[in-house]
Amino acid sequence: DVKVTQSSRYLVKRTGEKVFLECVQDMDHENMFWYRQDPGLGLRLIYFSYDVKMKEKGDIPEGYSVSREKKERFSLILESASTNQTSMYLCASSLPEKRTSEQYFGPGTRLTVT
Amino acid sequence: AQSVTQLDSHVSVSEGTPVLLRCNYSSSYSPSLFWYVQHPNKGLQLLLKYTSAATLVKGINGFEAEFKKSETSFHLTKPSAHMSDAAEYFCVVSFNTGGFKTIFGAGTRLFVKA
């Protein structure tokens, strides 16, 4: 079974803090993704990576950065957390760019910024 | 423009009755289509996918979906709802535009009454 794990299920941070969300997959997938999920908006892509040290902006990258130093690990960084970044964050991985590849998701991290 | 629309934000059925979750898409390219399910406080799990083979696709837990190109639809159905089907369901379209693009619908929350 593909396993995608995320470092925390629940996280509470203060405004202005630097926040790290980590994601690890064990299936040797090239592609990894970070989404945020908000009610009524579905999933919105923040960043994705198609190889080590490679990254591309998604639809809503502002306020976020990412790091992929190893193939199995993809980190999302909030440089200075703000209350509008309170959300559910989902990590996913998939095989190389193919229209037919499904994504495998982690359980999510619910982040609250106060 | 490429898009995916889930026509109902909420659907409520009684246990043992049929389920219909509606999804329409718009794409200038040949799409792949997916349905994912998300149970409370969990990540997304693939239910089924269409990738230009058979238009009627069978998935896990008794769900199936039919790709209708003329109607640009990919509705999800199940003959008999079970209490454990209560969850949020996402319709997803994926295609190549020279790059990889995936669009998630806003989600349909399914309630199952005893």
Side-chain angles (χ1 to χ4, degrees):
Chain A
D1 269 0
V2 178
K3 196 147 213 172
V4 180
T5 56
Q6 295 182 229
S7 50
S8 306
R9 294 300 305 274
Y10 300 94
L11 212 51
V12 180
K13 295 291 183 181
R14 293 190 180 276
T15 301
E17 278 192 83
K18 190 169 187 175
V19 181
F20 292 87
L21 303 181
E22 300 220 324
C23 175
V24 177
Q25 51 95 4
D26 67 357
M27 280 303 290
D28 204 34
H29 284 170
E30 281 76 3
N31 293 340
M32 295 188 75
F33 308 83
W34 274 108
Y35 296 92
R36 65 176 282 175
Q37 181 180 16
D38 300 288
L41 297 178
L43 274 69
R44 293 179 292 167
L45 182 64
I46 304 171
Y47 268 96
F48 74 96
S49 168
Y50 50 90
D51 203 349
V52 176
K53 296 191 186 296
M54 306 302 285
K55 62 186 180 186
E56 285 202 18
K57 293 180 180 179
D59 300 316
I60 51 164
E62 296 78 18
Y64 303 94
S65 62
V66 291
S67 172
R68 193 165 180 201
E69 297 296 320
K70 294 185 177 181
K71 190 175 185 180
E72 68 271 17
R73 188 179 298 269
F74 192 35
S75 302
L76 180 69
I77 303 154
L78 287 65
E79 295 289 343
S80 177
S82 64
T83 55
N84 63 13
Q85 292 178 309
T86 291
S87 187
M88 171 71 94
Y89 290 87
L90 291 166
C91 175
S93 71
S94 75
L95 289 168
E97 281 192 22
K98 283 184 186 176
R99 182 169 56 87
T100 59
S101 293
E102 65 262 36
Q103 296 182 27
Y104 296 85
F105 286 84
T109 296
R110 188 167 293 281
L111 172 67
T112 302
V113 182
T114 62
Chain B
Q2 331 309 319
S3 66
V4 57
T5 302
Q6 292 185 241
L7 296 164
D8 306 291
S9 60
H10 298 86
V11 169
S12 183
V13 301
S14 297
E15 192 175 22
T17 64
V19 175
L20 170 64
L21 306 183
R22 299 182 294 166
C23 174
N24 284 355
Y25 70 94
S26 171
S27 176
S28 307
Y29 309 88
S30 294
S32 285
L33 294 155
F34 307 80
W35 276 99
Y36 288 83
V37 61
Q38 185 181 32
H39 288 94
N41 297 313
K42 297 281 181 67
L44 277 69
Q45 178 188 15
L46 181 70
L47 270 180
L48 49 80
K49 67 178 181 180
Y50 165 77
T51 58
S52 77
T55 56
L56 183 62
V57 182
K58 293 189 184 299
I60 62 172
N61 300 334
F63 284 94
E64 62 182 38
E66 186 170 8
F67 174 68
K68 292 187 176 180
K69 188 175 181 179
S70 61
E71 298 175 13
T72 61
S73 68
F74 190 56
H75 300 335
L76 181 71
T77 61
K78 182 174 180 177
S80 177
H82 192 272
M83 296 296 289
S84 61
D85 295 327
E88 188 150 24
Y89 293 79
F90 292 94
C91 181
V92 180
V93 61
S94 176
F95 45 86
N96 274 328
T97 62
F100 176 74
K101 182 71 174 176
T102 295
I103 301 176
F104 285 77
T108 297
R109 170 114 15 222
L110 176 65
F111 297 93
V112 182
K113 298 174 289 187

